[in-house]
Amino acid sequence: MDDEAPSMANKRPCCSPIVKPPLPPSPPPPPPPLPPELTVDSLLDVFLQLSTTSPLSIDLAFEKLLDSRASDCDQNLLIARAVCFGSRLLEIGKRCARINGSKHNSLIWALPPDLTIKVFSMLDTQSLCYAAATCTMFHRCAVDPSCYADIDLRTDVPKVNNAVVSTMVQRAGKVLRSLKLGIVPGPSGSVGSSQPLVYTIRSSVDASGFSWNDKRSRQGKESSILTRSCLNSLIAENGTAAGLLLRRLHLYNIDRMDNSALCMALSACPSLIDLEIVGLLVELRQTLESVSSSCHLLQRLFFESSKAGRDDSLKSPTCVNFVNNCPQLTSLALRGFKLHDFKVRILVKGFCELKYVDFSSSYSITGAFLRNLNGSFSVGIEVLILRDCMHLKEVEVGRFLSAVLVGDFKYLKHLDISNREGLASEGDWYDRCYSTSAIPLKQLSEERPDIHVIAEFPPEGSLLELEHMIDSDMNTDISLPSVLSSHSSDSVLGSSTESSYNSDQGSGNGDARDAGYVIFEESSDELDILSL
């Protein structure tokens, strides 16, 4: 035992076997060389002649070829080669068909390239994209910058992203004159001609019949894939700016657009004359400040709020700067904002060329701004729309029409004072007026038949009843004390029914502020009835 012990100690321990990593698969062997009498061209010619052979014969022949392979690896390799060869042949065939089609179109197309480009420049953006995808010749003509002078990418569902906008704008370059982006529900058309939003006391609804909250949730489900940077292509890059000569910019329901992005885009568009903004989450004050500083040539502004009467950001100095810096404005539409009469008066009296005015669905307008406008630039107004202004007073409308009857506002052609809840009474805006007996509409139609007046009101008591309002407080978060305090404070605005229509005294909302555009500190006593 003693002799065996050293031998046991001297034995080396067993080592675990070394595992070698698997070798990478060997590349497929190259195809065997062709006989000298055969070439790729001749083999391909023979192969293409098999296209007239029945599919069953080709299937049987390929299966026999697979059976001739001994291993699964060889069979899989044969299948992969067949798929690769068929894909390449299909791609080559489609490309050659496009080339031949383009050559054929070039031969039979009667118009030279310059006239073809002229025709394409008259197409809308979607039709132009369809034409560009037709053939190589049409594509070559369709990418000419002159075809993208007027870009219209409005859709009823989200399907345009930033890359599409950037590509279109880059193709246009300095030729770009008009750009329309966003989601327009229903048929694409001018939003300015659609029904304005209507903000009732019970709930906020628009003319299409669904509530504002439902509209917001629906926009969330169909969120636009346009982001805040969708207008970056208008800003100067390498010393050139596509927005430098842009004349028309229309933006609809781009919910990711904010004030800073919009202001940056507007700063790159000094030649803008037509600006339309609908449904963007931007403030009125900041937008008008940006327009005042960058777009001095503006002639038309259409701005519809996305906040259902809650945007009370506009200040008097902003109105004054807007009037002074954009003197060529002829059309002004601010719809759905919480505007006060003295601010509206600054705008209406200040613009010398103003012809079209639309303050539909403005929450705080009483109509007092219409007093004593005779002799100012505003007598040239041709269209005045005050549809569904909740606080518009019957007495102010009557005074205005009386002034029209005595010869003021000679250029007025269209007047809309319709209201789904009737006009507000003088002493209590909560007491609604549904009859037109106190308004001289019949006399106006006889003495001024050239004026088209729209005055549509509901049957008396059909919408506003105190009991229903109290019952709906739980849903609208409107308490009776806040309503009463609001209409009591509003009765101060534009009161003094004893005064004449042409008197500056008691003309509403601090009418003395307009003298020389002297700015006083604004009051914040008005309560937001439509808090959601």
Side-chain angles (χ1 to χ4, degrees):
M1 293 294 295
D2 295 338
D3 296 338
E4 295 179 357
S7 62
M8 295 288 294
N10 294 333
K11 288 184 177 180
R12 299 177 61 186
C14 292
C15 299
S16 59
I18 300 174
V19 180
K20 297 182 179 180
L23 297 176
S26 58
L34 296 175
E37 63 275 7
L38 294 178
T39 61
V40 176
D41 296 343
S42 59
L43 285 177
L44 187 60
D45 184 36
V46 174
F47 182 79
L48 293 178
Q49 292 179 8
L50 297 177
S51 61
T52 58
T53 307
S54 65
L56 180 60
S57 301
I58 297 178
D59 291 345
L60 294 175
F62 189 75
E63 289 178 359
K64 290 180 180 179
L65 192 60
L66 281 178
D67 294 339
S68 65
R69 297 298 190 267
S71 64
D72 292 342
C73 180
D74 293 340
Q75 290 181 354
N76 292 335
L77 180 61
L78 182 63
I79 293 174
R81 285 179 176 176
V83 172
C84 180
F85 182 71
S87 301
R88 291 180 181 177
L89 199 61
L90 178 63
E91 181 180 352
I92 294 171
K94 290 183 177 180
R95 179 172 59 84
C96 293
R98 290 194 299 268
I99 294 175
N100 286 342
S102 180
K103 292 179 179 178
H104 176 74
N105 292 341
S106 301
L107 293 175
I108 66 171
W109 185 249
L111 299 179
D114 55 342
L115 291 182
T116 303
I117 294 174
K118 182 66 175 178
V119 172
F120 284 176
S121 65
M122 301 177 184
L123 298 178
D124 60 90
T125 305
Q126 186 174 4
S127 300
L128 181 64
C129 293
Y130 288 149
T134 303
C135 66
T136 304
M137 184 196 71
F138 278 9
H139 176 77
R140 193 177 297 113
C141 295
V143 297
D144 189 86
S146 60
C147 297
Y148 297 89
D150 300 314
I151 299 177
D152 188 352
L153 295 175
R154 295 174 297 173
T155 59
D156 54 354
V157 293
K159 57 183 179 181
V160 175
N161 56 23
N162 294 3
V164 174
V165 179
S166 178
T167 300
M168 297 288 182
V169 173
Q170 289 177 3
R171 288 181 180 178
K174 292 185 176 181
V175 181
L176 183 63
R177 295 295 181 270
S178 174
L179 178 61
K180 300 178 182 179
L181 296 178
I183 303 174
V184 181
S188 295
S190 176
V191 179
S193 59
S194 64
Q195 288 288 338
L197 294 179
V198 180
Y199 309 121
T200 66
I201 298 179
R202 291 183 185 179
S203 61
S204 300
V205 300
D206 68 2
S208 60
F210 55 85
S211 69
W212 176 256
N213 290 331
D214 292 340
K215 183 177 181 181
R216 292 294 300 274
S217 62
R218 189 180 72 171
Q219 287 179 353
K221 294 178 181 178
E222 298 181 358
S223 178
S224 172
I225 49 181
L226 291 171
T227 67
R228 65 185 305 273
S229 60
C230 63
L231 298 178
N232 284 357
S233 53
L234 297 177
I235 304 173
E237 293 182 2
N238 300 325
T240 60
L244 188 62
L245 300 178
L246 184 67
R247 308 286 280 176
R248 182 179 294 106
L249 178 62
H250 292 184
L251 305 173
Y252 307 101
N253 299 309
I254 306 176
D255 51 2
R256 301 183 185 180
M257 179 71 67
D258 55 18
N259 278 107
S260 60
L262 178 61
C263 294
M264 186 178 298
L266 292 178
S267 65
C269 305
S271 303
L272 207 62
I273 63 173
D274 183 359
L275 177 61
E276 188 164 316
I277 301 173
V278 176
L280 270 63
L281 300 178
V282 294
E283 285 189 352
L284 176 60
R285 178 181 59 84
Q286 296 188 33
T287 303
L288 290 188
E289 288 177 352
S290 179
V291 170
S292 300
S293 61
S294 304
C295 308
H296 303 299
L297 303 178
L298 194 67
Q299 298 178 9
R300 176 182 179 267
L301 174 63
F302 183 95
F303 196 173
E304 187 170 288
S305 174
S306 64
K307 298 182 179 180
R310 292 176 292 168
D311 190 341
D312 191 21
S313 62
L314 185 62
K315 305 300 180 184
S316 296
T318 305
C319 298
V320 175
N321 291 334
F322 183 40
V323 168
N324 294 333
N325 294 326
C326 301
Q328 301 182 29
L329 195 74
T330 60
S331 176
L332 176 63
L334 302 177
R335 303 188 353 177
F337 294 97
K338 190 174 182 181
L339 301 174
H340 302 281
D341 284 85
F342 70 90
K343 300 173 186 176
V344 173
R345 189 175 179 83
I346 294 175
L347 298 175
V348 174
K349 290 191 68 174
F351 289 111
C352 307
E353 305 293 334
L354 198 59
K355 305 295 182 185
Y356 180 98
V357 177
D358 183 0
F359 296 121
S360 297
S361 306
S362 295
Y363 180 70
S364 298
I365 288 180
T366 66
F369 75 94
L370 295 170
R371 299 184 184 185
N372 196 32
L373 290 179
N374 191 28
S376 64
F377 298 123
S378 55
V379 296
I381 292 178
E382 299 177 1
V383 177
L384 178 61
I385 303 177
L386 300 175
R387 174 181 284 266
D388 295 311
C389 293
M390 187 182 300
H391 290 76
L392 184 63
K393 294 184 177 181
E394 181 186 41
V395 63
E396 298 295 349
V397 174
R399 287 171 175 169
F400 174 73
L401 295 183
S402 299
V404 174
L405 287 173
V406 299
D408 295 345
F409 302 94
K410 297 181 180 180
Y411 299 98
L412 186 64
K413 301 297 181 184
H414 181 91
L415 175 64
D416 190 348
I417 54 173
S418 302
N419 200 306
R420 290 192 172 189
E421 295 181 354
L423 298 175
S425 64
E426 170 65 13
D428 187 352
W429 74 270
Y430 199 59
D431 183 15
R432 314 301 291 185
C433 305
Y434 304 97
S435 175
T436 59
S437 57
I439 305 175
L441 292 180
K442 184 177 181 180
Q443 183 180 359
L444 182 67
S445 62
E446 295 174 353
E447 299 185 14
R448 292 288 301 272
D450 56 320
I451 300 179
H452 179 221
V453 181
I454 303 177
E456 300 172 352
F457 304 105
E460 184 173 356
S462 63
L463 290 180
L464 285 178
E465 295 180 1
L466 182 60
E467 307 85 38
H468 292 252
M469 279 298 305
I470 297 176
D471 295 338
S472 64
D473 285 343
M474 297 297 293
N475 298 327
T476 59
D477 296 333
I478 303 176
S479 61
L480 185 59
S482 66
V483 172
L484 296 178
S485 62
S486 176
H487 76 70
S488 62
S489 63
D490 264 324
S491 63
V492 179
L493 305 178
S495 60
S496 178
T497 57
E498 303 290 333
S499 60
S500 64
Y501 191 78
N502 289 327
S503 173
D504 283 333
Q505 186 177 4
S507 58
N509 285 340
D511 202 40
R513 300 170 187 257
D514 296 330
Y517 296 134
V518 179
I519 305 303
F520 294 85
E521 183 178 358
E522 299 182 14
S523 173
S524 58
D525 294 335
E526 295 83 8
L527 298 178
D528 190 354
I529 303 300
L530 294 178
S531 58
L532 298 178

